[in-house]
Coordinates of all heavy atoms in Angstrom, one line a residue:
A451 N 100.5 127.5 95.2 CA 100.0 126.4 96.1 C 99.5 127.0 97.4 O 98.7 126.4 98.1 CB 101.1 125.4 96.3
E452 N 100.0 128.2 97.8 CA 99.6 128.8 99.0 C 98.2 129.4 98.9 O 97.6 129.8 99.9 CB 100.6 129.9 99.4 CG 102.0 129.4 99.7 CD 102.1 128.5 100.9 OE1 101.4 128.7 101.9 OE2 102.7 127.4 100.7
V453 N 97.8 129.6 97.7 CA 96.5 130.3 97.5 C 95.4 129.3 97.0 O 94.2 129.4 97.3 CB 96.6 131.5 96.4 CG1 95.3 132.2 96.2 CG2 97.8 132.4 96.8
A454 N 95.8 128.4 96.1 CA 94.9 127.5 95.4 C 94.3 126.5 96.3 O 94.8 126.2 97.4 CB 95.6 126.8 94.2
G455 N 93.2 125.9 95.9 CA 92.6 124.8 96.6 C 93.1 123.5 96.2 O 93.3 122.5 97.0
W456 N 93.4 123.4 94.9 CA 94.0 122.2 94.3 C 95.1 122.6 93.3 O 95.0 123.7 92.7 CB 93.0 121.4 93.5 CG 91.9 120.8 94.2 CD1 91.8 119.5 94.7 CD2 90.6 121.4 94.5 NE1 90.5 119.3 95.3 CE2 89.8 120.5 95.1 CE3 90.1 122.7 94.2 CZ2 88.5 120.8 95.6 CZ3 88.8 123.0 94.6 CH2 88.0 122.0 95.3
I457 N 96.2 121.8 93.2 CA 97.2 122.2 92.2 C 97.9 120.9 91.7 O 98.0 119.9 92.4 CB 98.3 123.1 92.9 CG1 99.1 123.8 91.8 CG2 99.1 122.4 93.9 CD1 99.8 125.1 92.3
T458 N 98.3 121.0 90.4 CA 99.1 119.8 89.9 C 100.6 120.1 90.1 O 101.0 121.3 89.8 CB 98.8 119.6 88.4 OG1 99.0 120.8 87.7 CG2 97.4 119.1 88.2
P459 N 101.4 119.2 90.5 CA 102.8 119.4 90.6 C 103.4 119.4 89.2 O 102.8 118.9 88.2 CB 103.3 118.2 91.4 CG 102.3 117.1 91.1 CD 101.0 117.8 90.9
M460 N 104.6 119.8 89.1 CA 105.4 119.8 87.8 C 106.8 119.4 88.1 O 107.5 120.2 88.8 CB 105.3 121.1 87.0 CG 106.2 121.2 85.8 SD 105.9 120.1 84.5 CE 104.5 120.9 83.7
P461 N 107.3 118.2 87.8 CA 106.6 117.2 87.1 C 105.7 116.3 88.0 O 105.7 116.6 89.2 CB 107.8 116.3 86.6 CG 108.9 116.5 87.6 CD 108.7 117.9 88.1
G462 N 105.0 115.3 87.5 CA 104.2 114.4 88.3 C 102.8 114.8 88.3 O 102.0 114.2 89.1
G463 N 102.3 115.7 87.5 CA 100.9 116.1 87.4 C 100.2 115.6 86.2 O 99.8 114.4 86.1
T464 N 100.2 116.5 85.2 CA 99.4 116.1 83.9 C 100.2 115.2 83.0 O 99.7 114.4 82.2 CB 99.0 117.3 83.1 OG1 100.2 118.1 82.8 CG2 98.0 118.2 84.0
G465 N 101.6 115.2 83.1 CA 102.4 114.3 82.3 C 102.1 112.9 82.4 O 101.8 112.2 81.3
P466 N 102.2 112.3 83.6 CA 101.8 110.8 83.7 C 100.4 110.5 83.2 O 100.2 109.4 82.7 CB 102.0 110.6 85.2 CG 102.8 111.7 85.8 CD 102.5 112.9 84.8
M467 N 99.5 111.5 83.4 CA 98.1 111.2 83.0 C 98.0 111.1 81.5 O 97.0 110.4 81.0 CB 97.2 112.4 83.5 CG 97.1 112.4 85.0 SD 96.5 110.9 85.7 CE 94.9 110.8 84.8
T468 N 98.9 111.7 80.7 CA 98.8 111.6 79.3 C 99.0 110.1 78.9 O 98.3 109.6 78.0 CB 99.8 112.5 78.6 OG1 99.5 113.9 79.0 CG2 99.9 112.4 77.1
I469 N 100.0 109.4 79.5 CA 100.2 108.0 79.2 C 99.1 107.2 79.7 O 98.6 106.2 79.0 CB 101.6 107.6 79.8 CG1 102.7 108.3 79.0 CG2 101.7 106.1 79.7 CD1 104.1 107.9 79.4
A470 N 98.5 107.4 80.9 CA 97.4 106.7 81.4 C 96.2 106.7 80.4 O 95.6 105.7 80.1 CB 97.0 107.2 82.8
C471 N 96.0 107.9 79.9 CA 94.8 108.1 79.0 C 95.1 107.6 77.6 O 94.1 107.2 76.9 CB 94.4 109.6 79.0 SG 93.7 110.0 80.6
L472 N 96.3 107.5 77.2 CA 96.7 106.8 76.0 C 96.2 105.4 76.0 O 95.6 104.8 75.1 CB 98.2 106.9 75.7 CG 98.7 106.0 74.6 CD1 98.2 106.5 73.2 CD2 100.2 106.0 74.6
L473 N 96.5 104.7 77.2 CA 96.2 103.3 77.4 C 94.7 103.1 77.5 O 94.1 102.2 77.0 CB 96.9 102.7 78.5 CG 98.5 102.8 78.4 CD1 99.2 102.3 79.6 CD2 98.9 102.0 77.1
E474 N 94.0 104.1 78.2 CA 92.6 104.1 78.4 C 91.9 104.2 77.0 O 91.0 103.5 76.6 CB 92.1 105.2 79.2 CG 90.6 105.2 79.5 CD 90.2 106.4 80.3 OE1 90.9 106.8 81.4 OE2 89.2 107.1 80.0
N475 N 92.5 105.1 76.1 CA 92.0 105.2 74.8 C 92.2 104.0 73.9 O 91.4 103.7 73.1 CB 92.7 106.4 74.1 CG 92.1 107.7 74.3 OD1 91.0 107.8 74.9 ND2 92.7 108.8 73.9
T476 N 93.3 103.3 74.2 CA 93.6 102.0 73.4 C 92.5 101.0 73.7 O 92.0 100.3 72.8 CB 95.0 101.5 73.7 OG1 96.0 102.5 73.4 CG2 95.3 100.3 72.9
L477 N 92.1 100.9 75.0 CA 91.0 100.0 75.3 C 89.7 100.4 74.7 O 88.9 99.6 74.2 CB 90.9 99.8 76.8 CG 90.1 98.6 77.3 CD1 90.6 97.3 76.7 CD2 90.0 98.5 78.8
T478 N 89.4 101.7 74.8 CA 88.2 102.3 74.2 C 88.2 102.0 72.7 O 87.2 101.7 72.1 CB 88.1 103.8 74.4 OG1 88.2 104.1 75.8 CG2 86.9 104.4 73.8
A479 N 89.4 102.2 72.0 CA 89.5 101.9 70.6 C 89.2 100.5 70.2 O 88.4 100.2 69.3 CB 90.9 102.2 70.1
A480 N 89.7 99.5 71.1 CA 89.4 98.1 70.8 C 87.9 97.9 71.0 O 87.3 97.1 70.3 CB 90.2 97.3 71.8
T481 N 87.2 98.6 71.9 CA 85.8 98.5 72.1 C 85.0 99.0 70.9 O 84.1 98.4 70.4 CB 85.4 99.2 73.4 OG1 86.2 98.8 74.5 CG2 83.9 99.0 73.8
L482 N 85.5 100.2 70.4 CA 84.8 100.8 69.2 C 84.9 99.8 68.0 O 84.1 99.8 67.1 CB 85.5 102.1 68.9 CG 85.2 103.3 69.8 CD1 86.1 104.5 69.5 CD2 83.7 103.7 69.8
Q483 N 86.0 99.0 68.0 CA 86.2 98.1 66.9 C 85.6 96.7 67.1 O 85.7 95.8 66.3 CB 87.8 97.9 66.6 CG 88.4 99.2 66.1 CD 89.9 99.2 66.3 OE1 90.6 98.3 65.9 NE2 90.4 100.2 67.1
G484 N 84.9 96.6 68.2 CA 84.3 95.3 68.5 C 85.2 94.2 69.0 O 84.9 93.0 69.0

């Protein structure tokens, strides 16, 4: 974090996004199914 411009924390970075995108995918799935 002292060197990088952006960084994800652990925990609280990519983990919560996995659940968010599961739900985003569920809505996309419903759209694909009409």
Side-chain angles (χ1 to χ4, degrees):
E452 296 300 315
V453 183
W456 297 264
I457 197 162
T458 56
M460 170 64 81
T464 57
M467 292 305 301
T468 299
I469 290 184
C471 291
L472 169 69
L473 300 176
E474 185 183 314
N475 272 350
T476 303
L477 195 58
T478 303
T481 308
L482 288 171
Q483 292 160 60

